[in-house]
């Protein structure tokens, strides 16, 4: 699938996205977790924006079976950074910490 996403993670100054990335660096998160961490009710849109910034193939959503309140089995989305995704985010963190020349 062809995508217009950049070949490397460009980083972000968006505080919502930063909170999400920090959380995903520690462990996978459900869609509901992402909403709470972001402080907004549209976590999937934030994930889509992060993918567009260069994490398109590094930020998948696994569907895991759970039971809803009625006892019916449903699939819950769980977002996670792949090892490559973690490397891209950490590389961006390292680049962003370097002092800039005047």
């Amino acid at each position: 699938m062809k995508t217009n996403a950049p070949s490397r993670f460009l980083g972000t100054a968006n505080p919502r996205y930063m909170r999400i990335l920090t959380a995903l660096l520690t462990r996978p998160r459900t869609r509901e977790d992402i909403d709470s961490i972001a402080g907004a009710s549209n976590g999937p849109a934030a994930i889509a924006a992060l993918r567009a910034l260069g994490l398109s193939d590094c930020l998948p959503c696994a569907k895991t079976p759970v039971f809803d309140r009625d006892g019916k089995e449903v699939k819950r989305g769980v977002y996670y950074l792949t090892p490559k995704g973690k490397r891209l985010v950490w590389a961006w963190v390292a680049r962003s910490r370097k002092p800039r020349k005047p």
Side-chain angles (χ1 to χ4, degrees), residues 6-29:
S7 60
R8 74 176 194 178
F9 179 54
L10 300 176
T12 180
N14 184 310
R16 285 182 182 174
Y17 302 164
M18 293 295 295
R19 289 190 297 271
I20 292 169
L21 289 173
T22 300
L24 288 171
L25 283 169
T26 62
R27 66 180 171 87
R29 304 294 178 147

Side-chain angles (χ1 to χ4, degrees), residues 60-64 76-80:
C61 180
K63 300 291 185 175
T64 59
R76 168 181 277 170
V78 178
Y79 295 101
Y80 64 97

Side-chain angles (χ1 to χ4, degrees), residues 1-5 51 55-59:
M1 174 169 66
K2 181 92 171 149
T3 177
N4 292 332
R51 288 174 175 158
L55 297 173
S56 61
D57 61 341
C58 303
L59 184 47

